[in-house]
Amino acid sequence: VQLQASGGGLVQAGGFLRLSCAASGSILSVNSMGWYRQAPGKQRELVATITGYGSTNYADSVKDRFTISRDTPKNTVYLQMNSLKPEDTAVYYCNAGVREIGSTWYLDYWGQGTQVTVSS
């Protein structure tokens, strides 16, 4: 199973970006998917998650600015980021709980990370 993230880049404060992350491989089903970020010198932190039923959860710092969504048949999760701030600068990682074909368990998988830089 692989998670391929894309959509990062350099944007001015107040701008927007849309991140995408697609899971591929021998996938039977995907439950929760999410986005995390890690800024230089800081720990990785949760940005937003979405369950298989569509329930969402956001970090307080991104509420009302970021929107997480998913395309379940495509095993893809998106993060629409609006009103970006310099403090949103970080490497963004996608995460998914995946049950592979022939497996009983869901395992956690991570994408490779995509850089988001917001200039002031």
Side-chain angles (χ1 to χ4, degrees):
V1 174
Q2 290 187 330
L3 269 61
Q4 183 67 46
S6 61
L10 173 63
V11 64
Q12 288 188 331
F16 63 91
L17 285 172
R18 188 185 192 220
L19 305 183
S20 301
C21 177
S24 62
S26 301
I27 298 172
L28 181 61
S29 65
V30 180
N31 54 15
S32 183
M33 304 184 82
W35 291 94
Y36 294 72
R37 67 187 182 187
Q38 187 167 17
K42 294 187 177 182
Q43 290 188 329
R44 189 173 298 188
E45 63 176 3
L46 179 146
V47 176
T49 60
I50 183 167
T51 70
Y53 298 102
S55 296
T56 58
N57 180 50
Y58 294 92
D60 288 343
S61 60
V62 306
K63 280 180 181 177
D64 301 322
R65 297 189 299 122
F66 291 8
T67 302
I68 190 170
S69 61
R70 66 188 286 170
D71 185 332
T72 299
K74 294 183 178 180
N75 294 323
T76 300
V77 63
Y78 305 96
L79 186 68
Q80 179 67 41
M81 305 185 293
N82 298 329
S83 302
L84 282 162
K85 304 175 180 180
E87 51 263 45
D88 294 318
T89 295
V91 177
Y92 283 69
Y93 297 91
C94 58
N95 170 268
V98 178
R99 183 180 174 186
E100 294 184 66
I101 296 171
S103 175
T104 306
W105 307 103
Y106 283 90
L107 297 178
D108 238 14
Y109 287 89
W110 292 88
Q112 83 283 9
T114 184
Q115 177 70 46
V116 172
T117 303
V118 184
S119 62
S120 57

